[in-house]
Amino acid sequence: MSRLPFLFIITGMISFVLFQAFSLASLSGWLGEALRSPNGWFHAHLFVLAWATMLAMGAVYQLINVILQSSLYSERLGYVHYAAFSAGTAGLLYGFIRGDLGWIAGGATLALAGILLFAGNIAATLLRAGKWDAITLSAACSVLYLALTGISGLAMGLNLAFGFWPAIHGQLFGAHIWLGAVGWFGLLITGFSYKMLPMFYLAHDYPTGLQSVVLVLWNAAVVVGTLAFLADASAWLLWTALLLLAAAATAYNIHLLQIKKKRHKRNPGLGIQWSVYASQAFACLTVALLIYALPNPDRLLDERIVLAAGWSYLGGWVSFTILCYASKIVPFLWWTYKYGKQAGKPGTPMMADLLNERNVHIGLALIAAFTLLLIAGLAADWQTLVAAAGSAWSLLSIAYISLIALVFAR
Ligand code: HEM
């Protein structure tokens, strides 16, 4: 069994702890600072690149075999990808915190090289398997959007260092965040859920038509949103992209209910149940934002709204879903690696023995509660609430990820 997913997953988990520790040290004060400061860049990328993207890449390497029933195009390329991406991300983070433009440009180049190796490896694997459906198409699109996020990031890094294209920097900035958040994370999570949820619910014979609807609507939201930023268009175009995203999120949630209806297992695992609640909350929040911005779409660009909405999406849905799935992915990986060959022999633990479900449930419930409080604090611009809820969220997150990490000691 390949060790490649472990490398990414463990590095991602270490980055998550580092992010929470730094956040705690400032009592979440970095969230209250202006966007686009060295402190903001550092914390944002420790979260989205070193934690969420790193872990997601590990999950892709693990699940691509399950999805395609065939092996990765090149495992060796996967290790080169790991080396380039982790070194590049470390350099980029160092450049961000120091405000050192040379390190930003150098780190961005190396991190992008890692991302392109990943994209090439996944593209070759998918093309070789030639099995096209909503799951593989979502994975392919998500990886393409990650590459575009990296390219726009490098373009901004080079502009910061050498001033190549100052006129379009602002447009690139919006497109960069939209492509990374909605494109890369959004399509990866939705696509992989079509495989993971039926697996854990033991669901069969559910309709799959909505998967294609979500795929089309979600891609339309990514493209329209990116164009809205790149063309510096009226805020109505961004509102339209949000409308498409809200429609996609609603269709996605209806599909999750269709899967649940055809289940043969009552309890898919509490982590999976929490991921479904998070998706429902995400759809509700997207619709609420759409209605809030209807009288005046310029409200979508208000810094306070960007921060609260951005954090709801990245912290409340993307990262929370990863935490939920980690409670399934990590025990599965570790059990297969360590005990797979002894399965059924006396004394061999069951997969369910590796992680206590009740603790997962308590951990995720508390993290969800404090995430909501933190979002309320950001929306109300109430610093005391942000500091209190943010610090509790960080402490609970460290406790939860330690629980997951302890699986490796079983
Ligand atoms: C190789 C990969 C990446 C590189 C080189 C990169 C580079 C950059 C740079 C240079 C900026 C600063 C732009 C400015 O303020 O003028 C930035 C901002 C930002 N990027 Fe990335 N980025 C990468 C990946 C990602 C990903 C995957 C996401 C996921 C959503 C992301 C989200 C953000 C966010 C939220 C900001 C704004 C941070 C703030 O202003 O506080 N980036 N990125």
Side-chain angles (χ1 to χ4, degrees), residues 170-236:
Q171 282 113 291
L172 283 175
F173 179 71
H176 173 70
I177 298 178
W178 192 261
L179 281 165
V182 182
W184 156 233
F185 289 129
L187 278 156
L188 191 72
I189 290 179
T190 50
F192 274 17
S193 303
Y194 307 145
K195 183 77 193 175
M196 307 259 285
L197 259 84
M199 233 160 68
F200 294 123
Y201 273 119
L202 289 182
H204 306 291
D205 304 323
Y206 49 86
T208 54
L210 278 180
Q211 293 181 357
S212 309
V213 174
V214 177
L215 179 66
V216 170
L217 285 172
W218 206 293
N219 269 298
V222 178
V223 173
V224 172
T226 305
L227 289 178
F229 283 113
L230 285 181
D232 205 6
S234 136
W236 275 112

Coordinates of all heavy atoms in Angstrom, one line a residue, residues 170-236:
G170 N -5.6 43.9 -8.9 CA -6.9 43.8 -8.1 C -7.8 42.8 -8.7 O -8.4 42.0 -8.0
Q171 N -7.9 42.7 -10.1 CA -8.8 41.8 -10.7 C -8.3 40.3 -10.5 O -9.1 39.4 -10.2 CB -8.8 42.0 -12.2 CG -9.7 43.2 -12.6 CD -8.9 44.3 -13.2 OE1 -8.1 45.0 -12.5 NE2 -9.0 44.6 -14.5
L172 N -7.0 40.2 -10.5 CA -6.4 38.8 -10.3 C -6.7 38.4 -8.9 O -7.0 37.2 -8.7 CB -4.9 38.9 -10.5 CG -4.3 38.9 -11.9 CD1 -2.8 39.0 -11.9 CD2 -4.7 37.6 -12.7
F173 N -6.6 39.3 -8.0 CA -6.9 39.0 -6.5 C -8.2 38.3 -6.3 O -8.4 37.3 -5.7 CB -6.7 40.3 -5.7 CG -6.9 40.1 -4.3 CD1 -6.0 39.4 -3.5 CD2 -8.0 40.6 -3.6 CE1 -6.2 39.2 -2.1 CE2 -8.2 40.4 -2.3 CZ -7.3 39.7 -1.5
G174 N -9.3 39.0 -6.9 CA -10.6 38.4 -6.7 C -10.8 37.1 -7.4 O -11.3 36.1 -6.8
A175 N -10.2 37.0 -8.6 CA -10.4 35.7 -9.4 C -9.6 34.6 -8.7 O -10.1 33.5 -8.6 CB -9.8 35.9 -10.8
H176 N -8.5 34.9 -8.1 CA -7.6 34.0 -7.4 C -8.4 33.3 -6.2 O -8.5 32.1 -6.1 CB -6.4 34.7 -6.8 CG -5.5 33.9 -5.9 ND1 -4.7 32.9 -6.3 CD2 -5.3 34.0 -4.6 CE1 -4.1 32.4 -5.3 NE2 -4.4 33.1 -4.2
I177 N -9.1 34.1 -5.4 CA -9.8 33.6 -4.3 C -11.0 32.8 -4.7 O -11.3 31.7 -4.2 CB -10.2 34.8 -3.3 CG1 -8.9 35.5 -2.8 CG2 -11.0 34.2 -2.1 CD1 -9.2 36.6 -1.9
W178 N -11.7 33.3 -5.7 CA -12.9 32.6 -6.2 C -12.6 31.3 -6.8 O -13.2 30.2 -6.5 CB -13.6 33.5 -7.2 CG -15.0 33.0 -7.6 CD1 -15.4 32.3 -8.7 CD2 -16.2 33.3 -6.8 NE1 -16.7 32.1 -8.7 CE2 -17.3 32.6 -7.6 CE3 -16.5 33.9 -5.7 CZ2 -18.6 32.6 -7.1 CZ3 -17.9 33.9 -5.2 CH2 -18.9 33.3 -6.0
L179 N -11.5 31.2 -7.6 CA -11.1 30.0 -8.2 C -10.7 29.0 -7.2 O -11.0 27.8 -7.3 CB -9.9 30.2 -9.2 CG -10.2 30.8 -10.6 CD1 -9.0 31.3 -11.2 CD2 -10.9 29.7 -11.5
G180 N -9.9 29.4 -6.2 CA -9.4 28.5 -5.2 C -10.5 28.0 -4.3 O -10.7 26.8 -4.0
A181 N -11.4 28.9 -3.8 CA -12.4 28.6 -2.8 C -13.5 27.8 -3.5 O -13.8 26.6 -3.2 CB -12.9 29.8 -2.1
V182 N -14.2 28.4 -4.5 CA -15.4 27.8 -5.1 C -15.0 26.7 -6.1 O -15.6 25.7 -6.1 CB -16.2 28.9 -5.8 CG1 -17.5 28.3 -6.4 CG2 -16.6 30.0 -4.8
G183 N -13.9 27.0 -6.9 CA -13.5 26.0 -7.9 C -12.8 24.8 -7.4 O -13.4 23.7 -7.5
W184 N -11.7 25.0 -6.8 CA -10.9 23.8 -6.3 C -11.6 23.1 -5.2 O -11.9 21.9 -5.3 CB -9.5 24.3 -5.9 CG -8.7 23.5 -4.9 CD1 -8.1 24.0 -3.8 CD2 -8.3 22.2 -5.0 NE1 -7.4 23.1 -3.1 CE2 -7.5 21.9 -3.9 CE3 -8.5 21.1 -5.9 CZ2 -6.9 20.7 -3.6 CZ3 -7.9 19.9 -5.6 CH2 -7.1 19.6 -4.5
F185 N -11.9 23.8 -4.1 CA -12.4 23.1 -2.9 C -13.9 22.6 -3.2 O -14.3 21.5 -2.8 CB -12.4 23.9 -1.7 CG -11.0 24.2 -1.1 CD1 -10.6 25.5 -0.8 CD2 -10.2 23.1 -0.8 CE1 -9.3 25.7 -0.3 CE2 -8.9 23.3 -0.3 CZ -8.5 24.6 -0.1
G186 N -14.6 23.5 -3.8 CA -16.1 23.2 -4.0 C -16.3 21.9 -4.9 O -17.0 21.0 -4.5
L187 N -15.6 21.9 -6.0 CA -15.9 20.7 -6.9 C -15.2 19.5 -6.4 O -15.8 18.4 -6.6 CB -15.4 21.1 -8.3 CG -16.4 21.9 -9.1 CD1 -15.9 22.7 -10.2 CD2 -17.5 21.0 -9.6
L188 N -14.2 19.6 -5.6 CA -13.5 18.4 -5.0 C -14.5 17.8 -4.0 O -14.7 16.6 -4.0 CB -12.2 18.7 -4.4 CG -11.4 17.5 -4.1 CD1 -10.9 16.8 -5.3 CD2 -10.2 17.8 -3.1
I189 N -15.0 18.6 -3.1 CA -15.8 18.1 -2.0 C -17.1 17.5 -2.6 O -17.5 16.4 -2.3 CB -16.2 19.2 -1.0 CG1 -14.9 19.6 -0.2 CG2 -17.3 18.7 0.0 CD1 -15.1 20.7 0.8
T190 N -17.8 18.2 -3.5 CA -19.0 17.7 -4.0 C -18.8 16.4 -4.8 O -19.4 15.4 -4.6 CB -19.7 18.7 -5.0 OG1 -18.8 19.2 -5.9 CG2 -20.3 19.9 -4.2
G191 N -17.7 16.4 -5.7 CA -17.5 15.2 -6.5 C -17.1 14.0 -5.6 O -17.7 12.9 -5.9
F192 N -16.3 14.2 -4.7 CA -15.9 13.0 -3.8 C -17.1 12.5 -2.9 O -17.1 11.4 -2.6 CB -14.7 13.4 -3.0 CG -13.4 13.1 -3.7 CD1 -13.4 13.0 -5.1 CD2 -12.2 13.0 -3.1 CE1 -12.2 12.8 -5.8 CE2 -11.0 12.8 -3.7 CZ -11.0 12.7 -5.1
S193 N -18.0 13.5 -2.6 CA -19.1 13.0 -1.8 C -20.0 12.0 -2.5 O -20.6 11.2 -1.9 CB -20.0 14.2 -1.4 OG -19.2 15.2 -0.7
Y194 N -20.1 12.2 -3.8 CA -20.9 11.2 -4.6 C -20.4 9.8 -4.4 O -21.1 8.9 -4.7 CB -20.9 11.6 -6.1 CG -21.3 13.0 -6.4 CD1 -20.7 13.7 -7.5 CD2 -22.2 13.7 -5.6 CE1 -21.1 15.0 -7.8 CE2 -22.6 15.0 -5.9 CZ -22.0 15.6 -7.0 OH -22.3 16.9 -7.3
K195 N -19.1 9.7 -4.1 CA -18.5 8.3 -3.9 C -18.6 7.9 -2.5 O -19.0 6.8 -2.1 CB -17.1 8.3 -4.4 CG -16.4 7.0 -4.4 CD -16.9 6.1 -5.5 CE -16.4 4.7 -5.3 NZ -17.0 3.8 -6.3
M196 N -18.2 8.9 -1.6 CA -18.0 8.6 -0.2 C -19.4 8.3 0.5 O -19.5 7.4 1.3 CB -17.3 9.7 0.5 CG -16.0 10.2 -0.1 SD -14.6 9.5 0.8 CE -14.6 10.5 2.2
L197 N -20.3 9.2 0.3 CA -21.6 9.1 1.0 C -22.3 7.8 0.8 O -22.7 7.1 1.7 CB -22.5 10.3 0.8 CG -22.4 11.2 1.9 CD1 -21.2 12.2 1.8 CD2 -23.6 12.0 2.1
P198 N -22.5 7.3 -0.5 CA -23.1 6.0 -0.7 C -22.3 4.9 -0.1 O -22.9 3.9 0.4 CB -23.1 5.9 -2.2 CG -23.0 7.3 -2.7 CD -22.2 8.0 -1.8
M199 N -21.0 5.1 0.0 CA -20.1 4.0 0.6 C -20.4 3.9 2.0 O -20.6 2.8 2.6 CB -18.7 4.4 0.4 CG -17.8 3.4 -0.3 SD -16.3 4.2 -0.9 CE -15.5 4.7 0.5
F200 N -20.5 5.0 2.7 CA -20.7 5.0 4.2 C -22.2 4.7 4.6 O -22.4 4.2 5.6 CB -20.2 6.2 4.8 CG -18.7 6.4 4.7 CD1 -18.1 7.5 4.1 CD2 -17.9 5.3 5.2 CE1 -16.7 7.5 4.0 CE2 -16.5 5.4 5.0 CZ -15.9 6.5 4.4
Y201 N -23.1 5.2 3.7 CA -24.5 4.9 4.0 C -24.9 3.5 3.5 O -26.1 3.1 3.7 CB -25.4 5.9 3.3 CG -25.7 7.2 4.1 CD1 -25.3 8.4 3.6 CD2 -26.4 7.2 5.3 CE1 -25.5 9.6 4.3 CE2 -26.6 8.3 6.0 CZ -26.2 9.5 5.5 OH -26.5 10.7 6.2
L202 N -24.0 2.8 2.8 CA -24.4 1.6 2.0 C -25.7 1.8 1.2 O -26.6 1.1 1.3 CB -24.6 0.4 3.0 CG -23.4 -0.1 3.7 CD1 -23.8 -1.3 4.6 CD2 -22.3 -0.6 2.7
A203 N -25.6 2.9 0.4 CA -26.8 3.2 -0.4 C -26.7 2.6 -1.8 O -25.6 2.7 -2.4 CB -27.0 4.7 -0.5
H204 N -27.8 2.1 -2.4 CA -27.8 1.6 -3.7 C -29.0 2.1 -4.5 O -30.0 2.5 -3.8 CB -27.9 0.1 -3.7 CG -26.8 -0.6 -2.9 ND1 -25.5 -0.6 -3.2 CD2 -26.9 -1.3 -1.7 CE1 -24.9 -1.3 -2.3 NE2 -25.7 -1.7 -1.4
D205 N -28.9 2.1 -5.8 CA -30.1 2.4 -6.7 C -30.7 3.8 -6.4 O -31.9 4.0 -6.5 CB -31.2 1.4 -6.5 CG -30.6 0.0 -6.8 OD1 -29.8 -0.1 -7.7 OD2 -31.1 -1.0 -6.1
Y206 N -29.8 4.8 -6.0 CA -30.3 6.2 -5.9 C -30.2 6.8 -7.3 O -29.3 6.5 -8.0 CB -29.5 6.9 -4.8 CG -28.0 6.7 -5.0 CD1 -27.3 7.6 -5.8 CD2 -27.3 5.7 -4.3 CE1 -26.0 7.4 -6.0 CE2 -26.0 5.5 -4.5 CZ -25.3 6.4 -5.4 OH -24.0 6.2 -5.6
P207 N -31.0 7.9 -7.5 CA -30.9 8.5 -8.8 C -29.6 9.4 -8.9 O -29.2 9.9 -7.8 CB -32.2 9.4 -8.9 CG -32.7 9.5 -7.5 CD -32.2 8.3 -6.7
T208 N -29.0 9.5 -10.0 CA -27.7 10.3 -10.1 C -27.8 11.5 -11.0 O -26.9 12.2 -11.2 CB -26.6 9.4 -10.6 OG1 -27.0 8.8 -11.9 CG2 -26.2 8.3 -9.7
G209 N -29.0 11.8 -11.5 CA -29.2 12.9 -12.5 C -28.8 14.2 -11.9 O -28.1 15.0 -12.5
L210 N -29.0 14.4 -10.6 CA -28.7 15.7 -10.0 C -27.2 15.9 -9.9 O -26.7 17.1 -9.8 CB -29.3 15.8 -8.6 CG -30.8 16.2 -8.5 CD1 -31.3 16.3 -7.1 CD2 -31.0 17.6 -9.2
Q211 N -26.4 14.9 -9.9 CA -24.9 15.0 -9.9 C -24.5 15.9 -11.1 O -23.7 16.8 -11.0 CB -24.2 13.7 -9.9 CG -24.5 12.9 -8.7 CD -23.8 11.5 -8.7 OE1 -23.1 11.1 -9.7 NE2 -23.9 10.8 -7.6
S212 N -25.1 15.6 -12.3 CA -24.7 16.3 -13.5 C -25.2 17.8 -13.4 O -24.5 18.7 -13.8 CB -25.3 15.7 -14.7 OG -25.0 14.3 -14.7
V213 N -26.4 18.0 -12.8 CA -26.9 19.3 -12.6 C -26.0 20.1 -11.7 O -25.6 21.3 -12.1 CB -28.4 19.3 -12.0 CG1 -28.9 20.6 -11.7 CG2 -29.3 18.5 -12.9
V214 N -25.6 19.5 -10.6 CA -24.6 20.2 -9.7 C -23.3 20.6 -10.4 O -22.8 21.7 -10.4 CB -24.3 19.4 -8.4 CG1 -23.3 20.1 -7.5 CG2 -25.6 19.1 -7.7
L215 N -22.8 19.6 -11.2 CA -21.6 19.8 -11.9 C -21.7 21.0 -12.8 O -20.8 21.9 -12.9 CB -21.2 18.5 -12.7 CG -20.0 18.5 -13.5 CD1 -18.7 18.7 -12.6 CD2 -19.8 17.3 -14.3
V216 N -22.8 21.1 -13.6 CA -22.9 22.2 -14.6 C -23.1 23.5 -13.8 O -22.4 24.5 -14.1 CB -24.1 21.9 -15.5 CG1 -24.4 23.1 -16.4 CG2 -23.8 20.7 -16.4
L217 N -24.0 23.5 -12.8 CA -24.3 24.8 -12.1 C -23.0 25.3 -11.4 O -22.7 26.5 -11.4 CB -25.4 24.6 -11.1 CG -26.8 24.5 -11.7 CD1 -27.8 24.1 -10.6 CD2 -27.2 25.8 -12.3
W218 N -22.3 24.3 -10.7 CA -21.2 24.7 -9.9 C -20.1 25.3 -10.9 O -19.5 26.3 -10.6 CB -20.6 23.6 -9.1 CG -19.9 24.0 -7.9 CD1 -18.7 24.7 -7.8 CD2 -20.4 23.8 -6.5 NE1 -18.4 24.9 -6.5 CE2 -19.4 24.4 -5.7 CE3 -21.5 23.2 -5.9 CZ2 -19.5 24.4 -4.3 CZ3 -21.6 23.3 -4.6 CH2 -20.6 23.9 -3.7
N219 N -19.8 24.6 -12.0 CA -18.9 25.1 -12.9 C -19.3 26.5 -13.5 O -18.4 27.4 -13.7 CB -18.7 24.2 -14.1 CG -17.6 23.2 -13.8 OD1 -16.4 23.5 -13.7 ND2 -18.0 21.9 -13.7
A220 N -20.6 26.7 -13.7 CA -21.1 28.0 -14.2 C -20.8 29.1 -13.2 O -20.3 30.2 -13.5 CB -22.5 27.9 -14.6
A221 N -21.0 28.7 -11.9 CA -20.7 29.7 -10.8 C -19.3 30.1 -10.8 O -18.9 31.3 -10.7 CB -21.2 29.1 -9.5
V222 N -18.4 29.1 -11.0 CA -16.9 29.4 -11.0 C -16.6 30.3 -12.1 O -15.9 31.3 -11.9 CB -16.1 28.0 -11.1 CG1 -14.6 28.4 -11.1 CG2 -16.4 27.1 -9.9
V223 N -17.1 29.9 -13.3 CA -16.7 30.7 -14.5 C -17.2 32.1 -14.5 O -16.5 33.1 -14.7 CB -17.2 30.0 -15.8 CG1 -16.9 30.8 -17.0 CG2 -16.4 28.6 -15.9
V224 N -18.5 32.3 -14.1 CA -19.1 33.6 -14.1 C -18.5 34.5 -13.0 O -18.2 35.6 -13.2 CB -20.7 33.5 -13.9 CG1 -21.3 34.9 -13.6 CG2 -21.3 32.8 -15.1
G225 N -18.2 33.9 -11.8 CA -17.6 34.6 -10.7 C -16.2 35.1 -11.1 O -15.8 36.2 -10.9
T226 N -15.4 34.2 -11.7 CA -14.1 34.5 -12.1 C -14.1 35.7 -13.2 O -13.3 36.6 -13.1 CB -13.4 33.3 -12.7 OG1 -13.4 32.2 -11.8 CG2 -11.9 33.6 -13.1
L227 N -15.0 35.5 -14.2 CA -15.1 36.6 -15.2 C -15.5 37.9 -14.6 O -15.0 39.0 -14.9 CB -16.1 36.2 -16.3 CG -15.7 35.1 -17.2 CD1 -16.7 34.7 -18.2 CD2 -14.4 35.4 -17.9
A228 N -16.4 37.8 -13.6 CA -16.9 39.1 -12.9 C -15.7 39.8 -12.3 O -15.6 41.0 -12.4 CB -17.9 38.8 -11.8
F229 N -14.8 39.1 -11.7 CA -13.6 39.7 -11.1 C -12.7 40.2 -12.1 O -12.2 41.3 -12.1 CB -12.9 38.7 -10.1 CG -13.6 38.6 -8.8 CD1 -14.2 37.4 -8.4 CD2 -13.7 39.7 -7.9 CE1 -14.9 37.3 -7.2 CE2 -14.4 39.6 -6.7 CZ -15.0 38.4 -6.3
L230 N -12.4 39.3 -13.1 CA -11.3 39.6 -14.1 C -11.7 40.8 -14.9 O -10.9 41.7 -15.3 CB -11.1 38.4 -15.1 CG -10.3 37.3 -14.5 CD1 -10.1 36.2 -15.5 CD2 -8.9 37.8 -14.0
A231 N -13.1 40.9 -15.2 CA -13.5 42.1 -16.1 C -13.9 43.3 -15.2 O -14.3 44.3 -15.8 CB -14.7 41.6 -16.9
D232 N -13.7 43.2 -13.9 CA -14.0 44.2 -13.0 C -15.5 44.7 -13.3 O -15.8 45.9 -13.4 CB -13.0 45.4 -13.2 CG -13.0 46.3 -11.9 OD1 -13.6 45.9 -10.9 OD2 -12.3 47.3 -12.0
A233 N -16.4 43.7 -13.5 CA -17.7 44.0 -14.0 C -18.6 44.5 -12.8 O -18.2 44.6 -11.7 CB -18.3 42.7 -14.5
S234 N -19.8 44.9 -13.1 CA -20.8 45.3 -12.1 C -21.0 44.2 -11.1 O -20.9 43.0 -11.4 CB -22.1 45.7 -12.8 OG -23.2 45.2 -12.1
A235 N -21.3 44.6 -9.9 CA -21.5 43.6 -8.8 C -22.6 42.7 -9.1 O -22.8 41.6 -8.5 CB -21.7 44.3 -7.5
W236 N -23.5 43.1 -10.1 CA -24.6 42.2 -10.5 C -24.1 40.9 -11.0 O -24.7 39.8 -10.8 CB -25.5 42.9 -11.5 CG -26.5 43.7 -10.8 CD1 -26.6 45.1 -10.9 CD2 -27.6 43.3 -10.0 NE1 -27.7 45.6 -10.1 CE2 -28.3 44.5 -9.5 CE3 -28.1 42.1 -9.5 CZ2 -29.4 44.4 -8.7 CZ3 -29.2 42.0 -8.7 CH2 -29.8 43.2 -8.3

